[in-house]
Amino acid sequence: MTGTDFVPLAYSKKIANGKITWKSPSNIALVKYWGKKENQIPANPSISFTLDTCATTTTVSYQKLEEEGNEFSFDLRFEGKPKESFRPKILTFFQRVEKYLPFLKSYHFTIETSNSFPHSSGIASSASGMSALSLCLMSLEKELHPEMSGEYFNKKASFLARLGSGSACRSIEGDLMEWGLHSDTEGSSNEYAIKYPYPVHEVFKNYQDTILLVDKGQKQVSSTVGHDLMHDHPFAEKRFSQAHTNLTKLRSVFADGDLDGFIKIVESEALTLHAMMMTSLPYFILMKPNTLEIINKIWSFRERTNSHVCFTLDAGANVHVLYPEAEKEIVYQFIKNELVAYCENGQYICDAIGYGAKKM
Ligand code: DP6
């Protein structure tokens, strides 16, 4: 399916008003999306674990307008209070998706969101937020067109979410989601994410992710600026092809439950992401001293104990500590004894692999 398949034909039903709520999770990339082309097309394919606890709940109330307006009509509320600062982002999103959701100017929307994680935790809410909003709009479209299949619903929700924020397209389903054209993955697409279609060993089910909040401040580099840095980047092409290779390597890692292979790819991806930022112009260091302390502690713990704990990073200083469920007790003790001291105000979030968004 491509974009044109998501332009709907005439709707069979008329709906005056209603209310829809979706809870959609965040996700953590194992092979990173970093660099994009026009229209939110990724420069390389990526794969992520869908999370469970870190999520956004969005309620969209809609009221049919007497006559269709020239502008989009919506109010925004965040955690119970009006939130005008979200307006530009939502407006851009509506402009990008209007072609695919032709009813957008026929309704007044009230969009209410709340996050399960603390507001200023340095955790990006764009993936969970944009996927939750896309799902609410898809639920309205399904009311207008009840014959819609479940498969189309999910694909189009992912397609719309991508137009809001690239990584959001990987938050619709779980537990492993792949986004971006990859010659070794059947059904892969640049326009939406798919459920990883090959065998996955038991050891990767219920994988744990403890998120260490090293720096809860505002992001130093927005993702838009970050992706832009990959244009004219001296190492961009090599990096993009490395992502393809890593995805191919993950196929047997997932099938065989090869934890050592998994660790090598995941940690290398995280460090490569940061290496790209350090070698762009302008350049950035997004790790903090405590990020490095944590990485070194993880490495020495692994050497000492033969544990399979590893880390990954997003475009910031926080550390995602990943480990199999079977090692939950011992790794959690290690985190409490040795890593929490490096977190801002000792804060961290215990999360695990999740199975996608839920209609409430
Ligand atoms: C480092 O999805 O936030 O988390 O498409 O501009 O909204 P936009 O970017 P965004 O980028 C996320 C980048 C990343 C890696 C990843 O999630 O794959």
Side-chain angles (χ1 to χ4, degrees):
M1 278 194 210
T2 63
T4 46
D5 298 311
F6 296 122
V7 178
L9 303 172
Y11 294 128
S12 54
K13 284 259 174 358
K14 285 190 169 39
I15 306 286
N17 55 59
K19 192 171 173 173
I20 295 155
T21 301
W22 276 88
K23 181 175 180 184
S24 190
S26 186
N27 67 72
I28 179 68
L30 305 170
V31 171
K32 307 288 178 182
Y33 149 56
W34 198 242
K36 61 178 164 185
K37 304 175 201 167
E38 247 190 302
N39 300 323
Q40 294 285 100
I41 296 299
N44 65 259
S46 58
I47 192 163
S48 52
F49 279 150
T50 302
L51 294 180
D52 184 46
T53 307
C54 288
T56 298
T57 301
T58 297
T59 299
V60 172
S61 315
Y62 48 92
Q63 177 88 46
K64 187 110 194 226
L65 298 166
E66 295 284 313
E67 52 189 282
E68 191 177 300
N70 293 324
E71 312 270 335
F72 298 111
S73 171
F74 60 92
D75 296 320
L76 297 165
R77 298 178 70 80
F78 179 67
E79 293 178 351
K81 297 193 192 85
K83 186 80 177 175
E84 279 309 299
S85 60
F86 284 176
R87 187 166 287 277
K89 210 166 176 181
I90 303 298
L91 198 57
T92 305
F93 174 63
F94 275 11
Q95 284 158 352
R96 286 184 189 162
V97 300
E98 186 186 7
K99 189 165 135 196
Y100 309 103
L101 300 173
F103 57 79
L104 279 184
K105 281 186 180 147
S106 310
Y107 289 90
H108 174 77
F109 298 100
T110 302
I111 304 168
E112 296 171 82
T113 64
S114 60
N115 289 336
S116 67
F117 42 90
H119 180 41
S120 55
S121 56
I123 297 203
S125 55
S126 68
S128 51
M130 283 299 175
S131 54
L133 178 56
S134 301
L135 285 158
C136 289
L137 296 173
M138 280 311 293
S139 284
L140 171 52
E141 179 161 73
K142 187 160 167 65
E143 287 187 32
L144 296 165
H145 178 71
E147 302 79 17
M148 183 188 295
S149 75
E151 191 195 344
Y152 180 90
F153 183 99
N154 279 347
K155 271 194 183 155
K156 184 165 171 181
S158 175
F159 171 88
L160 298 173
R162 182 197 103 236
L163 293 170
S165 175
S167 56
C169 75
R170 299 186 312 235
S171 277
I172 306 294
E173 296 174 86
D175 44 347
L176 258 178
M177 297 298 288
E178 187 169 333
W179 167 43
L181 208 55
H182 178 233
S183 58
D184 288 341
T185 309
E186 216 180 299
S188 60
S189 168
N190 280 336
E191 306 207 53
Y192 49 82
I194 58 167
K195 268 172 92 126
Y196 177 73
Y198 302 115
V200 178
H201 191 279
E202 272 301 297
V203 76
F204 293 113
K205 300 284 160 186
N206 297 320
Y207 228 73
Q208 306 291 303
D209 179 4
T210 303
I211 308 165
L212 304 178
L213 306 177
V214 172
D215 180 21
K216 304 195 295 156
Q218 273 287 318
K219 275 209 211 169
Q220 216 188 101
V221 183
S222 74
S223 56
T224 315
V225 172
H227 289 289
D228 249 12
L229 296 172
M230 291 305 277
H231 291 123
D232 303 318
H233 190 294
F235 308 134
E237 284 314 313
K238 268 273 180 247
R239 157 60 198 152
F240 299 147
S241 68
Q242 178 197 43
H244 286 260
T245 311
N246 279 342
L247 265 173
T248 301
K249 285 187 187 159
L250 276 177
R251 177 104 166 244
S252 61
V253 164
F254 284 138
D256 303 344
D258 172 8
L259 289 173
D260 294 327
F262 177 80
I263 291 170
K264 273 193 202 125
I265 292 169
V266 168
E267 292 190 345
S268 162
E269 276 288 323
L271 295 178
T272 301
L273 171 70
H274 283 254
M276 289 299 112
M277 288 182 255
M278 289 196 251
T279 50
S280 57
L281 278 176
Y283 40 78
F284 296 94
I285 299 180
L286 299 186
M287 289 188 209
K288 296 282 179 205
N290 282 349
T291 312
L292 278 177
E293 295 284 356
I294 290 167
I295 292 174
N296 281 318
K297 289 273 180 189
I298 289 175
W299 284 346
S300 66
F301 179 76
R302 211 159 63 207
E303 221 165 83
R304 254 185 3 248
T305 65
N306 295 319
S307 154
H308 295 97
V309 62
C310 73
F311 70 87
T312 188
L313 310 165
D314 270 342
N318 296 335
V319 182
H320 288 250
V321 184
L322 302 177
Y323 47 101
E325 195 187 24
E327 295 184 19
K328 198 167 163 175
E329 298 298 316
I330 153 173
V331 175
Y332 188 53
Q333 275 310 318
F334 158 65
I335 290 174
K336 281 203 293 197
N337 295 342
E338 297 194 45
L339 304 185
V340 169
Y342 298 110
C343 298
E344 199 173 329
N345 304 325
Q347 275 186 287
Y348 59 96
I349 298 170
C350 290
D351 210 336
I353 275 198
Y355 292 85
K358 288 187 192 78
K359 191 168 180 201
M360 309 303 275

